[in-house]
């Protein structure tokens, strides 16, 4: 392999004076098996280029380095070890049967990156990758940020967390305590350092070079020349009374808009204030450096790891606009528990759970919770006693241990009792999801919700035996006809002996299995079936909350029927419809003669 690469480089007219070099001659910590060096002409600049390969080449791309990182000046995509970031690995397919072809392709990309940098063609990449350059500055301090990125100036809180070994930034001290405890799981409070100022800049700026951090004058100019008039007024009011002492620790947090529509966030720590050389006074109190530079001080860059909602939710596929929505979930069994987790993952940050049941061992293989949520240890005098954990409590703890910012409320009671005692007010929510698996109670809830003048949209979702399918029905939206009761009526508006017309199973069949008497009756289905139904219901929920669904569809998914048929059961005619046909008929179930939602109401 090495000989093939060497032969190609010597014959190529791209590099001059090609020679093999030792891996240690490249100033990098990356793993290298063999390497070469040659002279490259970039826009009339002759620079040494080093080409390195690890032992898995051509399964992975070759590495290119400028021998001196600043040989062509400070240009985009050159790291402080001279590495040229010329292409992303994601989605890259290399032909492992043609190593010379891989090298030729990658070398062409690397050269283009250098040419674009020297000519200024990719200057916008400098702005978009500001944080990537900032993190490589010398003496950089690490911090975690919960700060909400805003377009206005504000004062924020700073603490030091010994367990994380980092500064933590947040809009308030209380917020930092709550979120840090969730992430670190510690009981002791982090050490409060004080306040910082958050300043949003108006436009993007160039990052400082690796070996040349800002001067105090650069800092003042960068900020004061790039803020709005309202930010300037608030900052001036703060600086007029703000004084710093010799032992002060001051923090400035900047948000920087990027050309790609994102926002960078960085920080600067100011410390060790002392008199200017020509200052003979013995005062140890100075104006803030953004007001007047009347003291010498140390400046260190702060590299910030963002934990704020606006940053982490979109990167998980969540929708930030759902964070203010309130959802009531009735039923936290196998389907409901997965819906709860998926709603949060989708971006819903305010969730109320209703379920009267405890979690039992027979639940765990199809429930979102596992054996760690079965029992809770309670100290009673000199001994510990173990109690079964309610599903809602276990689910609340699971959600809050996994995800920051989520507020979960719990009701361990029958929904009928909560309604009777007026403990639940439907109008307080943006959406209600019912996943009880009890058609009698669900039909009661359907009638109850439709009797209310103020009630949000409601989704009913249920799963069929042996995984033959699952369903989600949206009702109570835009005064449209269509509800759960419609499924229990025939075309004449008459009762169908309480048979659900959406069912994939023929009417009149019993699917319950009995292991040890009546108390052990269960309907057989698997975790994948529960998850499939939860995904169907969650997609419908997010579409509803985002205003994408304006009517009352009945959505269904079909599973494999082999086990169902092997048990001697009969499929309904509806199961025989294709998935496309089921979707096209999603509004066809409605009955105008329905006394709950239709014209006869």
């Amino acid at each position: 392999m090495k000989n093939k690469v060497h032969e190609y480089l010597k014959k190529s007219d791209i590099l001059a004076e090609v020679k093999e070099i030792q891996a240690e001659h490249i100033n990098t910590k990356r793993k290298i098996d063999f390497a070469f060096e040659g002279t490259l002409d970039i826009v009339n600049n002759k620079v040494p280029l080093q080409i390195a390969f690890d032992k898995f080449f051509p399964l992975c791309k070759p590495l290119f380095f400028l021998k001196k990182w600043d040989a062509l000046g400070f240009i985009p995509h050159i790291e402080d070890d001279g590495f040229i970031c010329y292409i992303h690995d994601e989605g890259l397919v290399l032909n492992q049967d043609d190593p010379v072809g891989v090298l030729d392709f990658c070398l062409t990309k690397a050269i283009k990156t250098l040419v674009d940098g020297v000519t200024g063609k990719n200057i916008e990449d400098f702005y978009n990758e500001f944080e990537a350059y900032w993190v490589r500055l010398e003496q950089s301090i690490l911090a975690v940020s919960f700060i909400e990125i805003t377009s206005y100036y504000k004062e924020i809180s700073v603490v030091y967390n010994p367990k994380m070994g980092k500064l933590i930034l947040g809009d308030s001290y209380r917020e930092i305590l709550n979120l840090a405890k969730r992430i670190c799981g510690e009981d002791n409070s982090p050490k409060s350092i004080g306040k910082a100022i958050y300043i949003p800049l108006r436009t993007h700026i160039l990052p400082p070079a690796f070996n040349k951090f800002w001067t105090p004058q650069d800092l003042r100019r960068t900020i004061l020349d790039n803020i709005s008039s309202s930010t300037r007024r608030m900052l001036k009011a703060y600086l007029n009374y703000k004084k710093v002492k010799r032992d002060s620790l001051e923090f400035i947090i900047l948000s920087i808009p990027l050309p790609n529509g994102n926002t960078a966030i960085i920080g600067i720590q100011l410390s060790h204030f002392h008199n200017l050389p020509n200052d003979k006074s013995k005062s140890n109190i100075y104006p803030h450096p953004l007001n007047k530079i009347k003291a010498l001080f140390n400046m260190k860059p702060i590299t910030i790891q963002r934990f704020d909602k606006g940053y982490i939710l979109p990167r998980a596929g969540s929708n930030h606009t759902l964070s203010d929505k309130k959802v009531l979930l009735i039923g936290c069994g196998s389907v409901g528990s997965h819906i709860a987790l998926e709603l949060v993952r989708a971006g819903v940050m305010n969730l109320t759970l209703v379920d009267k049941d405890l979690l039992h061992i027979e639940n765990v293989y199809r429930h979102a919770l596992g054996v760690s949520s079965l029992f809770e240890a309670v100290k009673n005098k000199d001994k510990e006693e173990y109690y079964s954990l309610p599903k809602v409590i276990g689910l609340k703890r699971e959600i809050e241990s996994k995800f920051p910012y989520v507020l979960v409320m719990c009701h361990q009671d029958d929904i009928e009792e909560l309604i009777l005692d007026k403990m639940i007010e439907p109008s307080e929510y943006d959406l209600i999801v019912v996943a009880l698996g009890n058609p009698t109670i669900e039909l009661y809830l359907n009638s109850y919700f439709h009797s209310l003048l103020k009630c949000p949209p409601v989704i009913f979702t249920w799963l069929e035996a042996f995984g033959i399918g699952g369903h989600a029905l949206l009702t109570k939206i835009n005064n449209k006809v269509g509800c759960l009761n419609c499924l229990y009526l025939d075309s004449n508006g008459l009762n169908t002996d309480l048979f659900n017309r959406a069912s994939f199973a023929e009417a009149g069949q019993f699917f319950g299995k009995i292991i040890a008497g009546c108390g052990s009756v269960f309907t057989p289905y698997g975790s994948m079936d529960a998850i499939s139904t939860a995904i169907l219901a969650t997609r419908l929920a997010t579409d509803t909350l985002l205003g994408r669904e304006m009517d009352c569809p009945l959505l269904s998914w079909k599973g494999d029927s082999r086990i169902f048929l092997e048990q001697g059961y009969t499929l309904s005619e509806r199961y025989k419809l294709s998935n496309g046909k089921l979707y096209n008929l999603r509004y066809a179930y409605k009955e105008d003669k329905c006394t709950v939602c239709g014209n006869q109401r």
Side-chain angles (χ1 to χ4, degrees), residues 217-409:
Q217 290 75 18
D218 292 333
L219 177 65
R220 281 172 52 86
R221 185 167 51 250
T222 297
I223 295 174
L224 300 179
D225 291 351
N226 198 12
I227 54 178
S228 67
S229 56
S230 60
T231 296
R232 186 180 301 277
R233 284 194 301 271
M234 289 186 284
L235 181 60
K236 184 177 180 181
Y238 171 82
L239 296 175
N240 281 341
Y241 73 82
K242 176 64 179 178
K243 303 296 180 183
V244 298
K245 298 180 180 180
R246 287 183 182 272
D247 57 351
S248 291
L249 268 180
E250 300 295 326
F251 302 92
I252 300 171
I253 309 302
L254 303 178
S255 65
I256 306 167
L258 305 179
N260 60 14
N262 295 322
T263 302
I265 180 168
I266 61 167
I268 303 97
Q269 175 184 283
L270 312 179
S271 64
H272 297 93
F273 293 89
H274 54 283
N275 291 356
L276 294 170
N278 58 350
D279 186 355
K280 304 301 182 182
S281 70
K282 296 183 179 180
S283 173
N284 65 349
I285 300 177
Y286 313 97
H288 192 284
L290 290 184
N291 190 358
K292 295 177 183 178
I293 298 180
K294 292 291 186 179
L296 297 176
F297 53 91
N298 292 347
M299 288 173 51
K300 289 184 179 180
I302 302 175
T303 297
I304 294 176
Q305 183 179 8
R306 289 179 59 180
F307 279 38
D308 58 282
K309 283 189 292 186
Y311 182 81
I312 61 177
L313 290 185
R315 280 156 178 76
S318 306
N319 194 311
H320 187 48
T321 60
L322 295 177
S323 62
D324 295 327
K325 302 295 185 182
K326 296 178 67 176
V327 176
L328 171 64
L329 175 61
I330 303 170
C332 298
S334 54
V335 175
S337 62
H338 288 293
I339 289 174
L341 289 170
E342 292 308 313
L343 282 172
V344 173
R345 289 188 174 108
V348 174
M349 297 287 106
N350 197 316
L351 193 60
T352 297
L353 307 176
V354 175
D355 197 303
K356 68 174 183 177
D357 291 337
L358 304 174
L359 184 69
H360 297 295
I361 186 66
E362 59 266 28
N363 300 139
V364 297
Y365 273 95
R366 59 188 190 186
H367 201 276
L369 299 177
V371 291
S372 62
S373 298
L374 284 174
F375 301 104
E376 181 175 28
V378 178
K379 287 188 177 180
N380 188 2
K381 295 183 179 180
D382 297 330
K383 63 178 181 178
E384 277 192 342
E385 295 182 349
Y386 290 85
Y387 298 91
S388 295
L389 200 62
K391 290 178 180 177
V392 288
I393 300 298
L395 201 51
K396 172 183 170 68
R397 292 176 181 175
E398 180 75 5
I399 290 171
E400 292 182 344
S401 70
K402 285 178 176 290
F403 310 105
Y405 302 107
V406 184
L407 175 64
V408 182
M409 303 294 291

Side-chain angles (χ1 to χ4, degrees), residues 75-207:
I75 62 174
H77 302 297
I78 309 299
E79 299 185 5
D80 52 353
D81 61 356
F83 176 72
I84 305 169
C85 184
Y86 61 94
I87 196 169
H88 294 293
D89 288 333
E90 189 171 348
L92 179 64
V93 180
L94 301 174
N95 184 358
Q96 57 185 298
D97 296 324
D98 184 14
V100 170
V102 170
L103 174 57
D104 182 72
F105 168 78
C106 293
L107 180 57
T108 301
K109 289 286 187 182
I111 292 172
K112 184 179 186 304
T113 300
L114 297 176
V115 172
D116 289 349
V118 172
T119 60
K121 187 175 181 180
N122 62 0
I123 186 66
E124 197 167 273
D125 294 348
F126 249 153
Y127 302 123
N128 287 328
E129 299 182 10
F130 189 101
E131 289 181 351
Y133 292 96
W134 189 265
V135 73
R136 291 182 174 84
L137 293 172
E138 296 179 357
Q139 297 184 311
S140 182
I141 301 169
L142 298 178
V144 167
S145 171
F146 299 117
I147 303 168
E148 180 186 359
I149 304 302
T150 61
S151 59
Y152 53 84
Y153 164 92
K154 58 186 174 182
E155 292 183 41
I156 58 175
S157 295
V158 183
V159 306
Y160 178 74
N161 188 303
K163 188 169 183 178
M164 297 178 72
K166 296 178 182 179
L167 296 172
I168 304 182
L169 314 172
D171 287 309
S172 69
Y173 182 63
R174 181 178 296 276
E175 177 193 56
I176 292 175
L177 289 184
N178 291 338
L179 292 170
K181 185 176 180 179
R182 281 198 193 185
I183 293 170
C184 300
E186 61 179 318
D187 296 325
N188 59 310
S189 300
K191 178 184 176 183
S192 176
I193 293 180
K195 293 288 186 178
I197 52 176
Y198 165 87
I199 304 173
L201 301 187
R202 290 186 302 174
T203 59
H204 44 265
I205 57 176
L206 285 173

Side-chain angles (χ1 to χ4, degrees), residues 413-431:
D413 211 334
D414 288 308
I415 184 61
E416 313 95 279
E417 288 287 342
L418 295 172
I419 290 172
L420 183 64
D421 296 338
K422 300 188 184 303
M423 297 295 293
I424 290 288
E425 176 50 59
S427 63
E428 294 179 354
Y429 300 93
D430 298 289
L431 179 70

